[in-house]
Amino acid sequence: MKTLILFGILAVAMLSGPAFSCLAADQKASEPFTIRDEQTAIQFAQVVIRSEFGNSEFRALKRYEARRDDDEWIVRGFRTKKIPKTTHGGVAVVRLKSNGCVVSVGYDI
């Protein structure tokens, strides 16, 4: 629970900046933050999904997958625990930069 609250605060801070920037132009990070693993990418994406789509949609997603693509994490949320044969009906997709900035949020159809 503490981890989810921490990520919630971090996501609100990230989303409240201009154009989803993580740091203001005059700020410098003392040590750059990096999403290093799938678990962290999924936790970030869950905060974004809850914020964008609400609690009912967040609870409807039963399984998450995350994969790294160069400097971005692509996290998908599925409505079933089993791997679906097709993804008709939509899959929640959150694209995150490795530094935690949100690139996009939506659904693949």
Side-chain angles (χ1 to χ4, degrees):
M1 183 66 175
K2 289 180 185 178
T3 303
L4 188 57
I5 291 170
L6 172 65
F7 284 116
I9 292 168
L10 183 59
V12 169
M14 289 185 326
L15 295 175
S16 64
F20 298 112
S21 66
C22 293
L23 295 174
D26 60 344
Q27 283 182 309
K28 299 209 188 282
S30 58
E31 189 174 311
F33 173 80
T34 301
I35 297 175
R36 291 181 173 86
D37 58 44
E38 292 177 14
Q39 180 71 20
T40 305
I42 288 170
Q43 289 175 332
F44 264 77
Q46 287 173 328
V47 170
V48 173
I49 288 169
R50 181 176 279 179
S51 173
E52 290 294 313
F53 302 121
N55 283 331
S56 61
E57 183 61 27
F58 172 76
R59 285 191 300 267
L61 299 174
K62 306 296 184 204
R63 186 176 60 83
Y64 292 87
E65 291 179 352
R67 70 176 169 84
R68 191 172 186 154
D69 185 18
D70 292 326
D71 189 38
E72 288 185 1
W73 282 94
I74 301 165
V75 181
R76 289 182 164 82
F78 298 91
R79 292 179 172 270
T80 61
K81 289 185 179 183
K82 296 180 182 178
I83 297 174
K85 293 180 182 176
T86 65
T87 57
H88 296 293
V91 175
V93 179
V94 178
R95 296 176 70 94
L96 304 164
K97 286 288 197 184
S98 292
N99 65 3
C101 291
V102 177
V103 176
S104 64
V105 181
Y107 273 88
D108 278 349
I109 298 177

